[in-house]
Amino acid sequence: MSCCFGNNTNGTEPQKSILEQSDLPLDQPIIPVTKPSDPKIEYSITVKTGDFRNSGTNGPVYINIFSRDNKQTEDLLLTAPDKPFTQSSTRKFQVYATDIGKPQRIIIRHEDKSTGWYVDYIEISVHNFLIRFVANRWLNQLKNDRKLDIELFGSEQPAVLYNIEIQTGDEQIEILDSPVYMQIYGTTTTTPKFFLESKNPSFKKDTLSKFSISSNNVGEIERIVIGHEGLGKINDWYLKTIKVQMLGQQQEYVVDKWLSPTQGEQRLFVELSKEKPPSPLPAPPPPSPKYIITVQTGDVPQQETTENIEITIRGSDEQIDKILLKDYAKFNNEQLFQKGNLDEFEIDHTDIGNIESITIGFSDSQQNIAWLLESINIQYKENTYHFQPQCWLSNRLGSNFSWVTIKPDESNDDINYKVTVVTGESGVDANVILCIYGDDETTTTTNLALKTTKDGSNAKFDRESTVEFDLKAVDVGKIKKINIGHDGKGDEQQWYLKSIAIEKNDELYTFTANRWLSEEKDDQKTFTDLLPDEQKPPTPVPIKDQANYIITIITSSEKDAGTDSNVLMTIFGDKDQTKQFQLINTKQGEKALFQSGTTNEFEMELDDVGNINKINIGHDGIGFQPSWNLESVQIQKGSDTYNFVAKKVLDDSTTFIDLTPTSSSIKRQSIFFFSSSIVIFTGATPSSESINIKTPRSITPEQKSVSIKEITYKISIRTDSYQKDIMGDNASFYMIIHGENNQTQKLYLKDGLTSDKKILFTKDEKTEFEFQTIDVGKIIKIIVGRVDSQTTDTWHVDNITIKQNDEIITFNAEQTIEPNSQIELYPSIIPKKSEIIYKIILKTGPYQEEGNDSNIYLTIFGQNGQTKKIPLNKTTKINKKIIFKKDDTIEFEFKTNDVGKISKVILSQNLNEHGIRWHIDNLTIKQNNETTTFNVKRKIEKYTEIVLVPSSLRKKSETSQKLIKTSDSVSKVVVKIKGK
């Protein structure tokens, strides 16, 4: 178990706020592009993606920039050799485009319909202007207004908080569940369309709902638009009044009408102008009180820090939702949260009442950051709240250990702990952390940093040394256990810990360790739990017989199916029952468990309960997302298998559930014996850390006493033309076959290979496998995935065929399987792919270079897919011309798959081939009886790709305002540099 940690949480979904300057990390790469010869100017565009689960996009992403007089750039395609729009990423692009002057608004969109994208903000630097376009919203076909594009208005001012109060009338009957939005118009600019969301249902009968939204400063508020999307089961909303507060102004609106498709005016939105002057303020107006926050960082070396510290403040009346502290820094030119820093922040917010708790921390999925948080003071009006965590925040210590939830020190009831640490044959210079547990583990200290000794010097855990500390922390009562370890950062990381002594209130507790805390020795753990010496049993003789359990839990893959609470289980049998135990990843430390679409494995030894007749499973409700959608459970105990079907959401009303075995449970002797483990499936897609490949060993004659019906499965997998010829040797591909009666274990494909190993997963090849395993009955679905620890190659699966007895089942996939992921396929027909002849007519421009070295490639996209990248110089030229000239017409012809109605094409050149420089005026494609024309009118540089849409297509942006937009039939500019 990793070091303990209060109530860990990632906080609620934030409405992000911003700083006047870009927060692009100094080490973040800037993606360059080759400057075209056309006279254009450079735009520096920064895109910040939100830090929510699955908030990134694979694109493509387009941006169009408008000036106040409605001049506009081309559609600019933002892309890079890697995937720039990943979760919590901040990426900067240099773009050459038409000079429109000072940007006033933008339209940004992405075309990845399979995933959503949470846009935090976009920042544009041009002509010495730095303009921020705040979004703070999803572009997702399943969320909010279900749009993939958004119009944003820019501001050179920092973000402000809008405190919004909405009164739903007494006429409301049922709770409105349609997404509610608002847009605020001011004297200087306009906010984006933002959505009013909360954890608990709002807009109930005769209810006042409060929201705090961070967005751009519009100046003096002139009007607002409020409405809902009409996408819920209940779309009738009686809106009574609205109050909007921003800085020193307040606007109130009386509505008293239905926003409904069936009642009143049958409209879903209303536009409200300023009907009365802002509420009078005292003259002269006193400065509004602010929350003054000071954060003290520990005065110890910290190899890598972060400025992206976020905080949530909870009061007795309301709360300040999670905000990025650096956006409220009192001094913007200072580096924050560095060694020994005392940083100050000012937050303008309405009174939230008495502060009851705060959550502070940072997101760090890569486990790079460790931050020693000494103390926090929050001052509001005459009240000062003091928080003394004195703890390390780092995901190296375990999942979510980069966050801490703490309460203010109401009284000075901390006590002194005298701690003595004895080191053995090897010392450590990493950061050492101690946590003390009290009665029933309900009271604990935070992660105490052992950094300053009793005499005030820096702690050094040298070989054969004894170090004493005087610590101050909450009184945990009688000490039940401690957890001690180090973060593994330093030159000396192999620590041999002999013992620890803790003295408090005339009580002395001693803990004998005599073990290594090292990633290379013993159990390869850097933390350990220790019991007081007097509590340890004299001999390790178990009272009850023990048994090994293998448990498989499948959780629904629906949205928000996962939980961040602690999951607990009790197993009941005909002889006994286990104690309630927590499911923790004991093999690989505490990773992110029980998330939607992950698979987690555990190894445990528990009391032998005999034949299992019931289980009790649930969660403790701690965390910001405790609700858990549990699908089913499977337990293997020895040679017996028990299946439990749940299909139940475990929420605040029902946190635990009893399950009994189904009729599909079987008692059998295993064909192979596997080392005991606990496996928990929490969705269709496994996480990389959760898969253990088990090595079988031969069975004994006694184990053959019960037979299982087995059959042979012949499997054929065809990869498509996008597959790389060589896949990583470390990639482990597997399949799970689900039937009406049962399901197979993971079938690792290399173990059943019958084809030539040389064609294993090469492009346009069919690889065959054969497995002898349990008969699952009629196949209803399969899961295909891969476990990769090193490779970044992708696996492009075209289709799969399985022969079961005399039946052949086909699965059309046409999907890409990334490393450490899986897909779910259901039986489907494999379509026939017809080929047709394409005739290409290419008209060169006046700047075309003459020569015969054609180095140009064409990819065609349509409603039925896309072609391969076609090298035009290798296709038939109808007129057989050798020299390419300016203002000339060249014809090509080739046969490839029919993509249907053409939606776009990509022109490119090969970096590794010598060729002439192209200047193309237009391009025409003839397929069947259809002709598609593209206006190009530009040079094709060697390091760029040009995306072209048919000349007849004009993009129409859906916005709340009428846009005067010049039709641009010229192709989109691709801002992309190819790897050299």
Side-chain angles (χ1 to χ4, degrees), residues 926-942:
K926 293 182 178 181
Q927 57 171 154
N928 297 328
N929 296 321
E930 185 175 352
T931 299
T932 308
T933 302
F934 303 84
N935 287 333
V936 187
K937 299 185 185 301
R938 70 186 62 195
K939 295 180 180 179
I940 300 182
E941 303 291 342
K942 194 167 185 179

Side-chain angles (χ1 to χ4, degrees), residues 14-18 51-52 118 120 134 136 214 310 322 327:
Q15 293 288 342
K16 301 275 188 181
S17 54
I18 63 170
D51 190 19
F52 303 136
Y118 190 94
D120 200 332
V134 180
N136 277 339
S214 175
E310 296 172 300
K322 189 187 341 178
D327 289 347

Side-chain angles (χ1 to χ4, degrees), residues 144-145 166 172 176-183 193-196 203 224-239 242 255 257-272:
N144 298 149
D145 56 358
I166 297 178
Q172 187 79 24
L176 175 74
D177 61 354
S178 173
V180 173
Y181 66 87
M182 179 183 287
Q183 192 165 13
K193 177 180 177 182
F194 54 80
F195 287 83
L196 304 176
F203 315 117
I224 67 171
V225 174
I226 187 170
H228 66 91
E229 296 295 338
L231 299 175
K233 295 181 181 179
I234 307 300
N235 295 313
D236 301 322
W237 182 30
Y238 194 90
L239 177 58
I242 304 170
V255 186
K257 65 172 58 178
W258 286 100
L259 302 184
S260 164
T262 59
Q263 301 194 52
E265 299 174 357
Q266 298 183 2
R267 299 178 63 189
L268 298 181
F269 72 95
V270 62
E271 182 172 339
L272 303 170

Side-chain angles (χ1 to χ4, degrees), residues 371-405:
W371 178 43
L372 177 56
L373 175 60
E374 279 283 355
S375 64
I376 303 170
N377 283 332
I378 301 179
Q379 181 178 350
Y380 184 73
K381 295 181 180 178
E382 302 299 325
N383 298 322
T384 300
Y385 301 86
H386 180 66
F387 302 82
Q388 192 76 34
Q390 290 185 320
C391 66
W392 282 97
L393 301 184
S394 175
N395 274 342
R396 302 173 196 152
L397 308 176
S399 175
N400 290 337
F401 272 49
S402 62
W403 298 87
V404 62
T405 298

